[in-house]
Amino acid sequence: ARSPVFAQMTTRPRVEPRTPWDCAICLATPEEEVHQCHRGHYYCAGCLAGLPQRRCPLCRVALPEDPIRSLAAEQAIAALPSRCDHCALELTFGQRRSHERSCPQRPAVCEAADDGCGWRGIHADLEAHEAGCRHALCRRVLRGAEARWATERDALRSHIERVEAANRAVEARLRRLEERRVSEEEAQRSRTRALSERVRRLEQQATAAAARPRPGRQLPQLAEIASIKRRIEDELAMYMNMQRGAPANMLLASMAQPAPPDAPEGAA
């Protein structure tokens, strides 16, 4: 079976007369890099890359892995006389490709061809057509709207990223405050236990002293016991208020100002 490359050898249309540098595969004058075999047969770079076997199709000599580029053939081809396929302007073969990319007579279609506009013409008439084409007008309006949407989407994404970063910072601060609250509650419970233990011991001492009545000596201890009891009751009340949502600074203010001891009974 013949290779697809060889099946297309005579199907490429010729727009130039035969030259000594024609491609041995497509039989046309190369319009890109020119490669050759060791015996001087020329090929288009694209045609040579599509060969199923790395052999020259004319002399069957093996082709090297690194193609042999013929700069002399490329320069000679670039100097050949030619003409534009669209406006028939006389120029060289090397100038033709760059000219045809900007030729005002080159074929053109409306930018809204995918949206249903079937206009086809030359590039010189394209601007006038698109100025009055409703499909092109809709395409331009949609393109502007898409650009605005893209800008707003990017701005919204940036805003969301900033909000998420702020939320993460707030969550971290809340975690630290919760840890501090738990620590303060544990310290408050420790102080309450210590005061309760002190009151218990003082009550035991007061009970023991009451069993041995000595006028004038137990009154200071009883006054201190009463003062400590009131402090404990106040701290427990404020602690319960704090648990129900009362401001914590009330507790701190009450602890910073100890209650004055009561005057002993019978004191003048």
Side-chain angles (χ1 to χ4, degrees), residues 148-168:
R148 291 192 298 272
W149 293 337
T151 302
E152 293 176 358
R153 183 189 63 238
D154 295 340
L156 182 59
R157 287 177 177 173
S158 300
H159 177 70
I160 290 173
E161 291 176 356
R162 291 194 297 271
V163 170
E164 290 178 347
N167 286 341
R168 288 192 294 270

Side-chain angles (χ1 to χ4, degrees), residues 181-199:
R181 184 186 66 81
V182 172
S183 176
E184 291 177 352
E185 288 180 355
E186 181 62 29
Q188 179 67 19
R189 285 193 291 268
S190 298
R191 289 193 297 269
T192 302
R193 287 193 297 268
L195 289 173
S196 299
E197 180 63 22
R198 183 180 178 187
V199 168

Side-chain angles (χ1 to χ4, degrees), residues 37-266:
C37 69
H38 289 293
R39 295 183 179 178
H41 299 128
Y42 300 107
Y43 318 97
C44 302
C47 295
L48 186 62
L51 282 177
Q53 297 179 354
R54 299 294 297 174
R55 288 185 176 276
C56 175
L58 296 180
C59 63
R60 308 303 297 169
V61 66
L63 298 175
E65 292 296 329
D66 295 330
I68 303 174
R69 184 175 179 180
S70 178
L71 296 178
E74 293 178 10
Q75 294 172 358
I77 292 173
L80 292 175
S82 182
R83 68 176 58 187
C84 176
D85 290 340
H86 310 308
C87 64
L89 178 67
E90 298 289 341
L91 33 72
T92 64
F93 199 92
Q95 297 171 340
R96 191 184 74 180
R97 294 190 65 183
S98 60
H99 166 78
E100 288 180 346
R101 286 194 291 267
S102 59
C103 178
Q105 302 297 319
R106 68 188 185 275
V109 296
C110 179
E111 66 171 344
D114 295 338
D115 298 330
C117 180
W119 181 87
R120 281 176 169 74
I122 61 176
H123 198 270
D125 301 333
L126 179 61
E127 184 176 356
H129 162 76
E130 291 181 347
C133 176
R134 64 178 186 275
H135 299 287
L137 177 61
C138 292
R139 172 61 67 89
R140 288 193 294 271
V141 171
L142 288 175
R143 187 162 52 241
E146 289 173 353
R148 291 192 298 272
W149 293 337
T151 302
E152 293 176 358
R153 183 189 63 238
D154 295 340
L156 182 59
R157 287 177 177 173
S158 300
H159 177 70
I160 290 173
E161 291 176 356
R162 291 194 297 271
V163 170
E164 290 178 347
N167 286 341
R168 288 192 294 270
V170 169
E171 290 174 355
R173 184 178 179 185
L174 288 175
R175 285 194 299 269
R176 292 193 298 270
L177 290 175
E178 179 64 19
E179 293 172 356
R180 180 178 176 183
R181 184 186 66 81
V182 172
S183 176
E184 291 177 352
E185 288 180 355
E186 181 62 29
Q188 179 67 19
R189 285 193 291 268
S190 298
R191 289 193 297 269
T192 302
R193 287 193 297 268
L195 289 173
S196 299
E197 180 63 22
R198 183 180 178 187
V199 168
R200 187 185 63 80
R201 290 197 302 269
L202 290 174
E203 287 178 344
Q204 291 177 353
Q205 294 175 6
T207 302
R212 300 185 300 275
R214 295 178 182 178
R217 293 191 178 182
Q218 62 181 5
L219 293 179
Q221 284 189 336
L222 293 176
E224 184 180 1
I225 292 172
S227 175
I228 292 173
K229 279 186 175 181
R230 281 194 297 272
R231 285 196 63 187
I232 292 174
E233 291 172 355
D234 292 342
E235 289 185 5
L236 289 177
M238 296 302 295
Y239 176 75
M240 296 303 296
N241 290 335
M242 184 181 67
Q243 291 295 98
R244 290 194 295 268
N249 55 4
M250 295 177 62
L251 175 62
L252 298 177
S254 65
M255 294 177 64
Q257 299 178 359
D262 292 343
E265 294 181 1

